[in-house]
Amino acid sequence: MDGPESLMKGKLFQSQNGEGEWHVTDRLSDAGSQQNDKTENGTSKDTFVVNPTKSMDSSDDLPERPTSLSLSAAPIDFLKDDVRDMTFARRIALSLIDKKWYNPKAGETKEKEGEDKTNDGPSPSNGADDPEGKKEASTIKACDFDDEMHCRQPNLEKAWAYFEHVALYRYLVPPDEGNKQKKNICVRAFRKLFMKGNKKFEKAEPGEDDAPTRLYSPIFTPHKQLGDFGLGIGLYFSTLRAFAIITFVAGLFSIYNIMYFASDDYLPYEYQEKIPTLTIGSAICMKTSYVPCDTCDCLPSEGNIEFGQFPPDRCAIDPNTNQTFVLRNDCDATPWQLGAVNFGSVIFLLVATMLLGRYLKHQEVQFDEDEQTAQDYSVKISNPPPDAKDPDEWKRFFQENCDGAHVTVCTIAVDNDFLVRTLVERRERLRTIANMQEPGSSMNMLDLARVAAQEERKRNFWQRLLAMVAPGIPEHFSRLVALNAKVEGLAQLDFPVTNIFLTFETEKDQRNVLTSLSVGSLKADRNDTKAVSDPKYLFRGKHVLNVSEADEPNTVRWQDLNAGAWQKFKERAFTMICTIVAIVLVAFLIDVVNNVSSIGAAFTISIFNTAFPMFAKILTGFEAHPSEGQKQTSLYFKIAVFRWVSTAVIFQIITPFTRSLMDEGGLITQVYALFFADIVTTNALQLADVMGHLKRHILAPRAATQDAMNLNFQGTEYELAERYTDMTKILFLCLWYCSIYPGSFFLCSFSLGIKYFVDRFCLMRSWKKAPQLGAKISLFSRRYFFTMAIGVMAIISSYYWSGFPFDNLCPNDSINSTYEGSFTIFPLDQGNDGTGINVTFTPSDVDYRFCNQNFMEPGSGFTFPFVPTSTSENTNPLEWMTDDQITTTTYFGWAALGIAGVVVLRFFYGWFGMFMSLFKSSYSAVGDDQNIPFSKVASRSAYIPQVASPLFAYPLVACNTDKIDEELYDWEDSDRDYRYYDLSKDAKKLLSGLNVEEPPGFSVVRHYPPPSEN
């Protein structure tokens, strides 16, 4: 092609008519014509147009990714998507869209659109662009919130297009894939498994309509592409996959123990037929016998068991002689080989966890290099001078003092959190009032005042009482009036600068700035000018800047960016107290249910494990976090502590020690029930996505407006912190009980493997898009929770090997003569109405006494480590331990103490590193410089202050949008201009009586395109 090749990276798109040809098109001109258009500022721009029917000569001339240069192109119509590229849910919905029972508005949309084309004139905000009013109303983008408060006729087809093109992740279709037919699933699976699966996809921006896109495949998307959805997401799936493999290998290590517990030497085969199949190979002991124990204290009925007492299901009594008999476990789990195998699995997991850290660092580099984002080019300055609000000054400083570093985007963030929250609430109140009225009702303040007064006058006593719980228009309007007054006052204030976000044109510039200017945060806060390597790095010649790598733009929580340290401390203390109270209450409830049914207790735990994240999210909502990464870390800690305690620790506490190895109500049966509930119930509910389908198929077709309809198509909200804790919960359960249930390694591996694929499917088909979180949660997990889990595994395993045979019975030297002979005894939990058991004892037998075998028994005093030499007043391990058991517990107990010490040292090492970062820079580059300019990154975005709202399908922008390049947003509304979401426009209108050109209380975003782009 001989035309302007330098502009061929413009509005190119591939037709989706099945021919697979690439075209450059224009809706106004013929082939080969050149137009000279006027931009908004009066400068000219050339638009080259090629005939739509003429294809390019060679695919070699095709650009990798269309960008927003001056070429004009017809945007792709999402309503005409190829059916083969649609989700099955969308296909079903489109087949039912004309059915009144499914879509009550069937037939109304087309009629309404016809009326709009006939009656609607140009939008007031767009009259300058269309002075003759010739454009159809549907083609004009709304750019003012107040002028566009009337409700548009909703269209279910548009909502499904929004779901697939905005709410779900898509990638740009490569040129060589556009005209290919999809292979059947068997061929694709073969290629994935046995051929190269390293094809690189480029993630499309939400609403991308300049180039053809396609949904990511939940099955065939290569693992390395999962970093496209955020570094934190990619690392989560890498961790999930790694632990699925690690626990499977640990299960192979434990096969000897599984075979021993499943052998006739431990539990005769006639007993194994009575327990669940998947618990065969565990330490469940049904081979028991009643022995005489004249001094034993038996609890007559279920209740709190005190030290020295036996539960009623472990005791029996002869009603004629009133003599006591207690159940003894006759299974031998003390051979030294069992402990050695389990100890080997502990060492393997310790080494594997250490190697996992190296593997995840490698994955972090790979994901980071595979997907270029704004974070790779950006820095954050957290201590700027309060009056440094001129972007040009910052640009000059770095260009003159940092080897000509070019600042492409500069964001000046000010301390206007309260103003932003007020404006967001004002928008939400207006939207709520609009949804309460008939479509098309006036939103003028005087009209709203009249409507509110009329409704309030008609209320009776009960309606006024109900309004206190469920506010109506009068309450919302009253709050709206107060919010308007707040905005009118706050918007006149000039707020101090608190943070600066700078995006450089190259990674080299960013790394050079971080290396040269980074100092310890304490030295920067104290303005220690001696900390900088060169005086030229002092801003204005006297300010030491606290420079760090910025988080991703969409992870910055602009409404909480400036919260103080004391405020954060109080909020976190309150939420942590609430978390502890919740754990105690849930533990009490689980104990109550467990007394009735162990299966019921397992499902109760599963229910609370599902429900608590919602409660924790509400608690975390009370906390101010400057970034999503910090919020997720706080949420992760709360949920992880709850799930670890509720899943593993609570069962250990509420199950009496002597019931540990029982089949009914024992620990292993409850653990198996938890694994079963997690594998089956949790994943089934997640895949079913009941609420998501309810919103899309029931609520959405009955929505009054297009916005309300789209909100039902945003997907099911999820938290990365919750996904991490779901993984660590099942891993922690496995590690806690692996010594007495070695088969749990395989159950854990299977559970994590299922989660890997179920979560992939949900991520690409049903979950709402989450911010592109970094590696903070992954680092927090492997630094604290994974390390702690291995330490706990070592300690608890040594505890279980010391506790066999778990019956709290020690033999005497002889038998009390009163127990010689035959007896018919009745278990206390069944009473005398049950079936009697005949037992016989001879003078050669011995009777038994109570001896505490539980090192963690509260009544005996906690002793650690769990070794034979750890004796106390009420515990003497040599009374019940065999020689093999003494050997096993000796090395296992001391090794567990050593591992626990290593874990504690690891924690202190991490804390020491954090402490040292106060005094010196801790920056280190991740990966290699990709030598790609920021302006050439396809999915680039900038640090534009935005706030997400549950009442809006797109974020609300907390700065002036007039001079911001549209390519710097990471989202696009096809119906509305970015000015529609501009909160500064709200403030400007409320201050219209003061003739304020621009309210001073907003952050500033300035774009400096590189000379080559200009």
Side-chain angles (χ1 to χ4, degrees):
M1 182 178 287
D2 297 328
E5 295 182 1
S6 62
L7 291 177
M8 284 302 99
K9 293 183 180 179
K11 295 289 187 176
L12 293 171
F13 75 98
Q14 184 177 12
S15 63
Q16 296 184 336
N17 56 8
E19 298 177 2
E21 296 180 338
W22 286 76
H23 307 285
V24 182
T25 66
D26 189 272
R27 287 171 287 182
L28 304 177
S29 307
D30 295 326
S33 65
Q34 179 175 338
Q35 298 180 346
N36 187 270
D37 298 333
K38 296 291 184 180
T39 60
E40 291 182 1
N41 59 8
T43 60
S44 63
K45 64 176 183 178
D46 292 332
T47 304
F48 293 89
V49 185
V50 180
N51 191 300
T53 62
K54 182 179 178 181
S55 63
M56 287 183 165
D57 297 332
S58 170
S59 61
D60 295 337
D61 295 327
L62 297 176
E64 293 183 359
R65 161 68 160 87
T67 58
S68 62
L69 298 179
S70 57
L71 268 167
S72 177
I76 295 173
D77 188 353
F78 299 152
L79 301 183
K80 298 180 181 179
D81 286 344
D82 191 326
V83 175
R84 294 170 298 179
D85 292 331
M86 296 181 183
T87 60
F88 286 105
R90 185 180 180 188
R91 300 182 199 182
I92 294 172
L94 293 181
S95 67
L96 300 174
I97 204 166
D98 293 327
K99 309 294 183 183
K100 278 284 187 180
W101 60 268
Y102 177 78
N103 180 22
K105 298 179 178 62
E108 297 178 9
T109 303
K110 293 182 179 179
E111 296 175 4
K112 182 65 178 177
E113 286 179 353
E115 294 176 6
D116 290 342
K117 291 180 180 181
T118 304
N119 301 327
D120 284 3
S123 170
S125 58
N126 287 277
D129 297 331
D130 186 27
E132 298 180 9
K134 291 181 180 180
K135 292 184 182 179
E136 295 179 359
S138 60
T139 67
I140 299 175
K141 281 195 172 185
C143 64
D144 188 275
F145 178 70
D146 291 333
D147 291 344
E148 281 292 319
M149 280 303 295
H150 68 274
C151 301
R152 298 184 175 190
Q153 182 69 13
N155 185 321
L156 193 57
E157 290 183 75
K158 286 185 178 180
W160 276 102
Y162 169 86
F163 176 62
E164 292 194 358
H165 285 269
V166 178
L168 298 184
Y169 292 104
R170 302 178 74 88
Y171 67 92
L172 295 168
V173 179
D176 60 346
E177 189 179 319
N179 57 353
K180 289 183 180 179
Q181 297 292 329
K182 278 189 177 181
K183 303 295 184 182
N184 65 62
I185 191 169
C186 296
V187 174
R188 294 160 70 196
F190 176 82
R191 288 181 175 178
K192 172 67 177 172
L193 292 174
F194 302 104
M195 300 178 69
K196 289 184 178 180
N198 58 354
K199 177 176 283 189
K200 177 177 173 59
F201 296 131
E202 187 174 347
K203 190 181 71 170
E205 292 294 339
E208 172 65 62
D209 60 359
D210 295 331
T213 60
R214 188 170 290 161
L215 290 168
Y216 283 90
S217 169
I219 301 175
F220 299 106
T221 299
H223 175 83
K224 72 172 190 176
Q225 292 294 144
L226 296 177
D228 291 359
F229 314 119
L231 183 59
I233 293 291
L235 292 175
Y236 163 71
F237 280 104
S238 294
T239 307
L240 197 59
R241 185 178 66 172
F243 270 118
I245 297 173
I246 290 172
T247 51
F248 182 80
V249 175
L252 297 179
F253 269 92
S254 304
I255 285 180
Y256 177 87
N257 288 14
I258 295 174
M259 294 179 65
Y260 176 82
F261 286 134
S263 68
D264 190 63
D265 292 337
Y266 179 77
L267 185 65
Y269 296 126
E270 61 266 22
Y271 293 110
Q272 296 183 19
E273 298 175 353
K274 301 178 183 180
I275 61 177
T277 303
L278 292 179
T279 61
I280 296 175
S282 69
I284 287 179
C285 182
M286 298 178 63
K287 183 183 177 182
T288 58
S289 60
Y290 280 100
V291 295
C293 185
D294 187 49
T295 59
C296 290
D297 181 12
C298 291
L299 195 66
S301 60
E302 289 292 345
N304 292 325
I305 300 175
E306 297 180 358
F307 178 74
Q309 289 186 324
F310 290 88
D313 55 357
R314 301 287 298 182
C315 295
I317 194 169
D318 184 339
N320 296 322
T321 63
N322 206 30
Q323 290 176 295
T324 302
F325 300 82
V326 179
L327 269 182
R328 183 189 67 186
N329 293 330
D330 296 326
C331 304
D332 182 16
T334 60
W336 68 267
Q337 294 91 338
L338 299 178
V341 168
N342 185 227
F343 183 74
S345 66
V346 172
I347 299 301
F348 165 74
L349 281 162
L350 180 64
V351 174
T353 303
M354 295 170 62
L355 294 177
L356 176 65
R358 297 176 63 89
Y359 165 73
L360 291 178
K361 289 180 181 178
H362 172 74
Q363 289 281 285
E364 181 180 349
V365 172
Q366 181 176 327
F367 288 140
D368 184 69
E369 293 180 347
D370 185 66
E371 185 74 12
Q372 292 296 107
T373 62
Q375 184 181 29
D376 299 318
Y377 302 86
S378 303
V379 301
K380 174 187 175 183
I381 300 172
S382 56
N383 66 337
D387 60 343
K389 202 172 183 180
D390 182 8
D392 295 338
E393 182 183 12
W394 289 101
K395 180 180 182 297
R396 286 194 304 270
F397 172 77
F398 285 96
Q399 187 169 5
E400 294 171 359
N401 299 293
C402 297
D403 301 328
H406 178 81
V407 175
T408 303
V409 185
C410 176
T411 299
I412 312 289
V414 299
D415 188 9
N416 65 346
D417 296 3
F418 187 37
L419 171 61
V420 172
R421 288 195 294 268
T422 304
L423 284 166
V424 171
E425 185 183 354
R426 176 184 178 274
R427 283 267 185 134
E428 291 174 342
R429 295 285 179 171
L430 283 168
R431 175 57 61 85
T432 302
I433 294 173
N435 292 339
M436 288 181 170
Q437 297 191 97
E438 291 293 326
S441 299
S442 171
M443 293 297 293
N444 181 278
M445 288 296 288
L446 289 176
D447 292 331
L448 290 180
R450 174 178 48 80
V451 172
Q454 289 175 343
E455 181 174 324
E456 192 166 14
R457 185 178 63 178
K458 292 187 297 184
R459 286 177 178 171
N460 56 33
F461 171 77
W462 297 110
Q463 290 173 327
R464 289 194 297 271
L465 196 62
L466 179 62
M468 298 174 65
V469 180
I473 291 180
E475 288 72 31
H476 288 295
F477 178 75
S478 177
R479 179 59 180 166
L480 178 62
V481 172
L483 291 171
N484 285 345
K486 283 186 179 181
V487 173
E488 289 172 351
L490 291 170
Q492 299 180 58
L493 304 179
D494 196 356
F495 297 98
V497 177
T498 54
N499 292 277
I500 307 293
F501 294 89
L502 299 164
T503 302
F504 296 94
E505 182 61 16
T506 65
E507 286 186 85
K508 179 183 176 181
D509 288 340
Q510 183 237 26
R511 297 181 179 199
N512 180 42
V513 167
L514 287 171
T515 303
S516 302
L517 273 70
S518 293
V519 296
S521 57
L522 187 61
K523 289 183 177 294
D525 292 339
R526 292 181 175 180
N527 200 38
D528 184 357
T529 56
K530 296 179 181 179
V532 297
S533 59
D534 193 320
K536 69 179 183 179
Y537 298 135
L538 297 174
F539 185 71
R540 295 178 178 174
K542 58 181 179 180
H543 294 289
V544 179
L545 300 177
N546 190 2
V547 183
S548 60
E549 187 175 19
D551 294 315
E552 289 291 352
N554 63 358
T555 65
V556 179
R557 292 174 54 83
W558 300 93
Q559 70 274 30
D560 294 329
L561 192 60
N562 305 298
W566 177 240
Q567 175 188 348
K568 295 177 183 178
F569 174 79
K570 290 188 295 183
E571 292 168 346
R572 283 157 180 71
F574 170 75
T575 56
M576 185 52 60
I577 292 173
C578 293
T579 302
I580 295 172
V581 171
I583 291 174
V584 173
L585 292 177
V586 170
F588 173 77
L589 182 59
I590 292 173
D591 186 23
V592 173
V593 176
N594 189 59
N595 291 331
V596 179
S597 169
S598 61
I599 301 296
F603 278 94
T604 301
I605 290 176
S606 294
I607 291 172
F608 278 111
N609 280 336
T610 302
F612 183 80
M614 294 183 283
F615 174 71
K617 187 177 178 181
I618 294 173
L619 286 180
T620 309
F622 289 106
E623 301 173 358
H625 295 280
S627 69
E628 280 292 333
Q630 292 188 20
K631 177 187 174 185
Q632 291 294 316
T633 303
S634 176
L635 184 62
Y636 175 47
F637 181 80
K638 294 180 182 66
I639 301 176
V641 171
F642 176 86
R643 283 181 164 174
W644 282 24
V645 172
S646 66
T647 302
V649 181
I650 285 180
F651 272 154
Q652 181 73 47
I653 294 174
I654 67 177
T655 302
F657 178 79
T658 53
R659 288 179 181 167
S660 297
L661 304 184
M662 291 177 62
D663 58 329
E664 291 292 337
L667 285 175
I668 297 171
T669 305
Q670 298 175 86
V671 172
Y672 163 72
L674 282 174
F675 273 113
F676 182 83
D678 184 81
I679 292 173
V680 177
T681 309
T682 304
N683 290 314
L685 290 175
Q686 186 173 315
L687 282 174
D689 189 26
V690 177
M691 286 304 301
H693 286 297
L694 176 67
K695 289 181 177 180
R696 291 189 288 273
H697 294 282
I698 304 298
L699 301 181
R702 290 154 181 81
T705 67
Q706 188 67 47
D707 286 331
M709 188 176 283
N710 288 351
L711 286 172
N712 287 307
F713 281 88
Q714 287 194 319
T716 303
E717 193 166 353
Y718 79 101
E719 303 287 350
L720 183 60
E722 193 271 336
R723 302 316 307 153
Y724 262 101
T725 57
D726 196 50
M727 170 181 61
T728 57
K729 168 202 68 180
I730 206 70
L731 178 65
F732 188 72
L733 180 69
C734 166
L735 299 183
W736 185 284
Y737 294 104
C738 64
S739 56
I740 59 175
Y741 191 7
S744 64
F745 281 123
F746 291 115
L747 289 177
C748 180
S749 176
F750 183 71
S751 176
L752 296 179
I754 292 293
K755 286 182 190 298
Y756 177 83
F757 289 102
V758 170
D759 284 3
R760 275 174 62 111
F761 177 85
C762 293
L763 176 69
M764 301 178 195
R765 288 295 182 270
S766 62
W767 282 348
K768 181 180 179 181
K769 285 182 179 177
Q772 288 186 293
L773 295 169
K776 286 184 179 179
I777 294 184
S778 176
L779 179 62
F780 186 76
S781 294
R782 62 180 185 260
R783 176 177 290 176
Y784 297 108
F785 281 88
F786 295 155
T787 308
M788 186 188 302
I790 301 302
V792 170
M793 174 192 181
I795 293 172
I796 296 301
S797 293
S798 70
Y799 164 75
Y800 281 128
W801 292 120
S802 70
F804 280 101
F806 290 93
D807 55 17
N808 277 346
L809 291 173
C810 289
N812 294 315
D813 296 331
S814 60
I815 187 172
N816 189 318
S817 59
T818 59
Y819 281 94
E820 297 177 6
S822 298
F823 303 88
T824 300
I825 60 178
F826 295 86
L828 286 182
D829 61 333
Q830 298 178 11
N832 294 339
D833 297 333
T835 303
I837 301 173
N838 296 319
V839 294
T840 301
F841 300 97
T842 65
S844 61
D845 294 320
V846 296
D847 57 14
Y848 288 77
R849 69 184 184 278
F850 169 83
C851 64
N852 179 49
Q853 300 169 356
N854 184 4
F855 274 98
M856 293 194 294
E857 173 63 46
S860 65
F862 182 85
T863 55
F864 181 76
F866 309 126
V867 294
T869 54
S870 294
T871 60
S872 66
E873 181 181 353
N874 297 313
T875 304
N876 183 9
L878 299 178
E879 287 187 316
W880 78 86
M881 285 189 179
T882 65
D883 291 340
D884 278 3
Q885 194 173 6
I886 291 173
T887 301
T888 298
T889 54
T890 298
Y891 71 77
F892 214 136
W894 288 114
L897 179 63
I899 293 174
V902 171
V903 171
V904 173
L905 288 176
R906 178 70 181 85
F907 289 170
F908 276 106
Y909 178 77
W911 295 333
F912 178 75
M914 295 171 61
F915 175 76
M916 291 303 296
S917 67
L918 297 173
F919 304 97
K920 65 178 183 178
S921 172
S922 60
Y923 168 74
S924 61
V926 176
D928 298 326
D929 184 350
Q930 301 301 296
N931 295 314
I932 302 175
F934 174 73
S935 297
K936 301 300 181 183
V937 175
S939 57
R940 63 184 181 273
S941 58
Y943 292 84
I944 302 174
Q946 304 174 64
V947 180
S949 169
L951 296 183
F952 290 86
Y954 299 93
L956 301 174
V957 183
C959 68
N960 191 316
T961 60
D962 290 343
K963 298 180 181 180
I964 301 178
D965 187 347
E966 293 186 357
E967 286 296 316
L968 298 179
Y969 294 92
D970 58 358
W971 54 273
E972 179 183 3
D973 185 349
S974 59
D975 293 327
R976 295 188 173 97
D977 190 273
Y978 291 103
R979 288 175 291 179
Y980 175 85
Y981 299 95
D982 188 343
L983 295 175
S984 71
K985 297 289 186 290
D986 298 16
K988 185 176 181 179
K989 283 200 170 186
L990 290 173
L991 296 179
S992 58
L994 299 178
N995 295 321
V996 176
E997 183 177 352
E998 287 298 334
F1002 288 89
S1003 300
V1004 178
V1005 179
R1006 187 70 55 81
H1007 182 209
Y1008 301 97
S1012 59
E1013 187 171 310
N1014 287 334

